[in-house]
Amino acid sequence: MLAYELAAYGPPLSHQLGEVAEPQVAAGQVLIAVEAIGLNFPDALMVQGKYQKRPQTPFVAGRDCAGTVTAIGAGVTAFKPGDKVVAQVFSGAFAEKVAAPVDRVFLRPDGVSARDAAGAVTVFNTAFVAVAIRAEVKAGDRVIVTGAAGGVGAAAVQLAVNLGADVVGIVSSEAKAELVRRAGARAIVIAERDPDLLKQAFKTQVRQAWGDDRGGNVAIDTVGGATFDAALRALGFAGKLVVVGFASGDIPAAKANYLLYNNLTVMGAPLDIHFDEALERIRAGTSYWLDLLSQDKVQANVSTILPFDQLMQGLQDILDRKVTGKIVVTVGAAA
Ligand SMILES: NC(=O)c1ccc[n+]([C@@H]2O[C@H](COP(=O)([O-])OP(=O)(O)OC[C@H]3O[C@@H](n4cnc5c(N)ncnc54)[C@H](OP(=O)(O)O)[C@@H]3O)[C@@H](O)[C@H]2O)c1
């Protein structure tokens, strides 16, 4: 079969599509014939060896895929050949066939295409962890989302809106703002490039958006660096800042005096560990947003479809900050 097997870590365009042996389906796994692959920022980190976990090379990279089950391993009762599924694996998704552990495989509801499901699975699962499990967003909460036109950001805006929250999104340009408006945000703040200006202007603009001085209840931060500082300052009394990622490449430090001053909480929202430590909650979350997707209440925002041999260019485009919405790669008969 064709796959991106990494011989060594390196920039996206250093990796090539090639022939590898098909994976064997083990006990507790299903074999999926892949139709669509979703690309994510963490994939771009992984292929460079910059992700927090570094599998031994050679290995096939890739985390999100959707397709059809073609075989099941011993002990599998929840799936059968022919089932239409989406999977979020740790590695192996950049391939025509994937052997996926059943804990990480989900049936696709009628009406949810392989492309939308593959484009949505990591970003909506991450947003669910951040918005619903960690911040426990509820109706009426004021929620700030940074990197709001990115994959996780746009999913977080939509989930928060569906939970009845009042959302302000931060993006880098007017060109990216439209997607966030469509996602249901009340207001958009275009981020200042200068870090000091960003901190001051964001606090003021967020307060203007809500029309009073109370600030936000929750900030979901996918960007880090100066944006993290700005989001922290835009929170009101007892606000919660949820750390999702560092798309800026800058891991910030929270000043403890600031947390004390305004009674704030900073918390992490790691997705993968929820499959080990809180499987039922994350699987319930996946069912929740797949249902919203099937009812058209949230959108996967797939903006670009690439052929399999262009996959690494897609990862480079993510790193170059050229992407609004999600890139999906089509494979096999779907291509
Ligand atoms: N916690 C978890 O388990 C988990 C899971 C998935 C992803 N993540 C992390 O979450 C972050 C966002 O992931 P994603 O898939 O949403 O990425 P994405 O689709 O590429 O979106 C990232 C957004 O960050 C903004 N950004 C601001 N400064 C940037 C910079 N210097 N370089 C690149 N982007 C910048 C960009 O928006 P503007 O250009 O509008 O500013 C972009 O839309 C990443 O750090 C990723 O590793 C964490």
Side-chain angles (χ1 to χ4, degrees):
M1 69 167 185
L2 288 172
Y4 285 90
E5 186 176 69
L6 272 54
Y9 288 111
L13 295 176
S14 67
H15 306 297
Q16 272 106 37
L17 192 57
E19 274 292 334
V20 302
E22 269 190 22
Q24 299 295 312
V25 62
Q29 294 184 333
V30 298
L31 192 66
I32 301 168
V34 175
E35 291 158 39
I37 297 168
L39 301 190
N40 292 283
F41 199 95
D43 293 313
L45 298 177
M46 177 69 97
V47 301
Q48 298 177 88
K50 293 182 177 173
Y51 193 66
Q52 59 257 51
K53 288 184 190 156
R54 285 168 52 100
Q56 182 90 36
T57 55
F59 73 100
V60 176
R63 50 190 292 137
D64 289 355
C65 64
T68 304
V69 173
T70 57
I72 57 170
V76 173
T77 54
F79 298 96
K80 58 183 186 319
D83 280 347
K84 306 234 169 284
V85 292
V86 56
Q88 188 218 306
V89 290
F90 177 69
S91 62
F94 293 170
E96 291 179 310
K97 294 251 172 103
V98 176
V102 287
D103 285 352
R104 287 169 168 265
V105 181
F106 308 88
L107 285 171
R108 272 188 278 135
D110 286 345
V112 175
S113 68
R115 294 176 186 195
D116 277 357
V121 64
T122 277
V123 294
F124 271 90
N125 275 345
T126 305
F128 186 84
V129 171
V131 170
I133 297 181
R134 299 298 278 134
E136 297 179 308
V137 166
K138 54 188 186 317
D141 277 353
R142 293 170 164 195
V143 177
I144 296 158
V145 179
T146 72
V152 179
V157 171
Q158 295 184 80
L159 289 186
V161 166
N162 266 280
L163 290 166
D166 192 351
V167 179
V168 172
I170 179 165
V171 297
S172 61
S173 64
E174 185 51 44
K176 291 193 173 184
E178 182 48 31
L179 182 144
V180 187
R181 281 194 195 95
R182 266 190 282 121
R186 150 198 290 267
I188 313 295
V189 172
I190 310 287
E192 298 281 350
R193 290 273 163 180
D194 176 86
D196 289 327
L197 276 180
L198 172 67
K199 273 189 252 177
Q200 271 323 310
F202 189 56
K203 181 174 175 174
T204 310
Q205 285 165 301
V206 163
R207 278 163 170 72
Q208 279 168 354
W210 278 311
D212 60 34
D213 209 27
R214 283 181 18 235
N217 304 110
V218 170
I220 308 290
D221 181 34
T222 65
V223 175
T227 307
F228 168 94
D229 288 333
L232 204 55
R233 279 163 178 74
L235 287 174
F237 175 77
K240 298 180 255 190
L241 188 145
V242 186
V243 177
V244 173
F246 316 106
S248 65
D250 181 353
I251 300 177
K255 287 225 172 93
N257 62 339
Y258 200 79
L259 305 187
L260 179 61
Y261 169 72
N262 219 4
N263 198 30
L264 305 182
T265 305
V266 176
M267 59 183 82
L271 169 59
D272 279 335
I273 199 171
H274 279 75
F275 284 98
D276 303 324
E277 302 288 343
L279 184 63
E280 292 313 314
R281 289 200 81 183
I282 190 64
R283 287 193 67 87
T286 313
S287 300
Y288 169 72
W289 64 254
L290 275 172
D291 194 42
L292 292 179
L293 196 57
S294 74
Q295 295 178 54
D296 243 9
K297 290 187 176 165
V298 297
Q299 308 299 323
N301 289 323
V302 176
S303 54
T304 308
I305 307 277
L306 294 177
F308 202 14
D309 62 1
Q310 294 293 306
L311 184 153
M312 289 293 163
Q313 184 60 53
L315 292 187
Q316 187 58 50
D317 289 347
I318 290 175
L319 291 175
D320 292 341
R321 225 168 149 180
K322 288 182 180 162
V323 183
T324 305
K326 292 288 300 179
I327 304 180
V328 166
V329 171
T330 51
V331 182

